[in-house]
Amino acid sequence: MALAGAAVSAHRAGRIRPVEALRDAAVDDGRMPPSRVLLGAAVLLTGLGLLGWSLLTDPGDVLKRKAYILQPMWIVVGCALLAPLLVRPLTRLLTWLPARLPGATGLLARQNASTSVRRTASVAAPVLITVALAGSLLGTVATIDEARATEATAVSAADFVAGGDGPLDPRFVQRVRSVPGAVASASRSTGVTVLEEGTALISSEARAADPAALAATARLPLVAGRLTDLDDGSIVVNEEWETRRVGEHVRVWLGDGRAVSLRVAAVMRTGTGSNGVYVTPANAAGAAVDRMDIKVRAGADRSAVRALLEKAGRDTGTPVMTRDAWVAAHHPRTGGSTRAGLLLILGIALLYTGIALANTLVMSTSDRVRDLAVLRLTGATASQVLRLVAVEALMVVAVGAVLGGAVAGLNLLGVRSALALLAVSSPVVVPWAAVGAVLAACAVAATVSAVLPALAALRTRPVEAAGGRE
């Protein structure tokens, strides 16, 4: 990459004739090489095309880890390549008000940032990438977690839930079943494995429960069939299964290793991927009851039912929670290894941003020694010059943050669209704290990298610096 960059730069410089170089102005003309425009447009359109194709063919694919980590990279890189096209108009827009405040700092910072397009784009691009990655990756994970919690709450019709952390005490199960005014569904965790396309063994989490009690305490998102048709010779599957037509038979291996042929009694929508499989207890031999869903009957005293449930829980060491509290404590979350991987990616991106900001601002500020000296000669104090340099650096960081926020918003909109197509109603979760921390780190790095070289440059007498050659 280094050799390729040096070769391209040398080739471009070699095409300039000496006479043209002598009359070249120091102000950027804002033009981008056609090759970069074409490359940036191609990468951006590829990212948008992949996202659109996933939404049209398989919305659930957008929610998979490989997709939401790799797919946004196309959009992020494409926008970073096209950043110079957006820098000048966005800079003028963001600095419109500061330029009209009393004093010359805002106006000078605006003019410097908008005329030095290359320098501004070089600083804004790494900020764009880091903010976009933080918002896209962490926002997608938080949005999917929230969608799973919303889906789990919508599926459960129970008022109280116990278990979820291992087998329940048989005494608690027996006492709950005898509580007057309550309908209890005891379920077991198990699994089923199916051979699809003749080669792939697909394992799915399953729950075994009595169909009548399950129907009273759950609102399964069925798209075909009826839950009441579930019996010892049938199974409830989801739309991800290859065999998903009601009435068809599918050969599966149960959790205890038995191979059986079960009839499809009902089909659930895919959702976020948390809708597993349901069988009867006869097809989960050896599995202990690990969860109790309890619904208060119509007309029953809710307080009395709750008191009896909590007493049974205290006597057997079993916590009893409301449905919302249980979902908040037990709903599926993104694994720790995935979060660690995302944080590693963001850490590398933040390190790259710090290096890029320091390199660009140190070099560009050092090259502006004569400009800073001219400001001193026109009456500006050293503190005013340093304030100008700091404000200009923060303005450029703000430009990168806005562009990065727009890219992250576009990626999160794709996730929200996928959830809508999967019939999951859940809001987009923006990781404000993480984005704020990343933005603060970028602002500090940019300010320090700009102010320190300027401070060193101000040690030279203004007359000597102004008279020197660039």
Side-chain angles (χ1 to χ4, degrees):
M1 293 297 293
L3 290 175
V8 171
S9 300
H11 177 69
R12 289 178 59 191
R15 294 174 59 188
I16 301 175
R17 292 180 297 179
V19 175
E20 294 176 343
L22 289 175
R23 65 169 180 260
D24 187 31
V27 179
D28 295 340
D29 56 12
R31 291 181 299 176
M32 281 178 55
S35 58
R36 179 166 178 171
V37 175
L38 292 176
L39 179 60
V43 173
L44 178 59
L45 291 176
T46 299
L48 294 176
L50 290 174
L51 177 59
W53 178 256
S54 296
L55 292 176
L56 290 175
T57 58
D58 184 10
D61 188 58
V62 178
L63 309 181
K64 295 178 180 178
R65 182 172 57 186
K66 289 184 178 179
Y68 69 69
I69 289 179
L70 298 178
Q71 194 165 276
M73 299 296 184
W74 290 92
I75 300 177
V76 172
V77 174
C79 290
L81 289 172
L82 297 175
L85 291 177
L86 304 173
V87 160
R88 178 171 289 172
L90 185 57
T91 300
R92 291 190 175 278
L93 177 63
L94 294 179
T95 57
W96 180 84
L97 180 59
R100 280 156 178 75
L101 295 176
T105 301
L107 179 60
L108 289 174
R110 183 192 195 199
Q111 294 303 114
N112 288 336
S114 60
T115 54
S116 302
V117 177
R118 293 179 182 176
R119 183 178 72 242
T120 303
S122 298
V123 176
V127 177
L128 181 159
I129 293 173
T130 308
V131 172
L133 287 179
S136 299
L137 298 182
L138 298 182
T140 297
V141 170
T143 299
I144 293 175
D145 285 347
E146 181 65 23
R148 288 173 177 169
T150 301
E151 192 176 41
T153 302
V155 166
S156 177
D159 296 303
F160 303 98
V161 184
D165 298 316
L168 293 176
D169 191 321
R171 296 174 300 166
F172 175 79
V173 175
Q174 187 61 35
R175 289 180 61 172
V176 169
R177 284 174 171 167
S178 62
V179 172
V183 179
S185 173
S187 60
R188 302 159 173 82
S189 296
T190 184
V192 297
T193 302
V194 62
L195 181 66
E196 294 191 351
E197 299 179 352
T199 57
L201 285 172
I202 308 297
S203 298
S204 302
E205 294 181 356
R207 295 209 69 81
D210 177 74
L214 180 63
T217 58
R219 297 185 290 260
L220 300 186
L222 299 180
V223 295
R226 297 179 301 179
L227 184 57
T228 53
D229 291 338
L230 178 64
D231 54 31
D232 293 344
S234 62
I235 185 174
V236 176
V237 301
N238 58 60
E239 291 178 310
E240 286 186 320
W241 279 50
E242 184 180 26
T243 304
R244 55 179 183 273
R245 181 176 297 179
V246 174
E248 290 184 337
H249 282 75
V250 57
R251 183 175 178 81
V252 300
W253 286 264
L254 302 176
D256 58 4
R258 289 182 295 152
V260 296
S261 178
L262 300 177
R263 173 179 50 84
V264 177
V267 181
M268 298 179 293
R269 67 168 181 256
T270 303
T272 60
S274 301
N275 295 328
V277 175
Y278 287 86
V279 294
T280 59
N283 291 317
V289 174
D290 61 359
R291 175 175 161 184
M292 293 283 289
D293 294 82
I294 306 102
K295 182 176 178 62
V296 180
R297 295 182 184 273
D301 187 344
R302 180 185 175 92
S303 299
V305 171
R306 181 170 187 171
L308 291 174
L309 292 175
E310 290 179 345
K311 185 176 188 307
R314 288 193 300 271
D315 293 343
T316 58
T318 305
V320 178
M321 306 180 185
T322 62
R323 178 191 61 189
D324 293 341
W326 187 90
V327 169
H330 294 86
H331 78 271
R333 296 179 182 272
T334 302
S337 58
T338 299
R339 289 183 178 275
L342 296 181
L343 292 177
L344 178 61
I345 293 174
L346 292 179
I348 295 174
L350 191 57
L351 179 61
Y352 151 75
T353 299
I355 295 174
L357 289 176
N359 182 60
T360 302
L361 289 171
V362 168
M363 293 180 63
S364 63
T365 304
S366 300
D367 291 340
R368 297 170 61 193
V369 172
R370 187 172 182 275
D371 295 337
L372 301 180
V374 170
L375 287 175
R376 291 292 310 278
L377 293 175
T378 56
T381 63
S383 61
Q384 289 175 328
V385 173
L386 293 177
R387 189 183 309 122
L388 170 64
V389 172
V391 169
E392 185 180 338
L394 292 176
M395 282 184 177
V396 178
V397 170
V399 171
V402 171
L403 293 175
V407 174
L410 180 60
N411 286 321
L412 292 179
L413 179 61
V415 175
R416 180 65 186 86
S417 300
L419 291 173
L421 292 173
L422 294 171
V424 179
S425 179
S426 178
V428 171
V429 180
V430 180
W432 294 112
V435 173
V438 167
L439 191 54
C442 292
V444 170
T447 303
V448 172
S449 300
V451 170
L452 289 182
L455 184 62
L458 292 177
R459 294 179 179 177
T460 304
R461 294 177 57 191
V463 175
E464 296 177 359
R469 295 183 177 181
E470 293 184 344

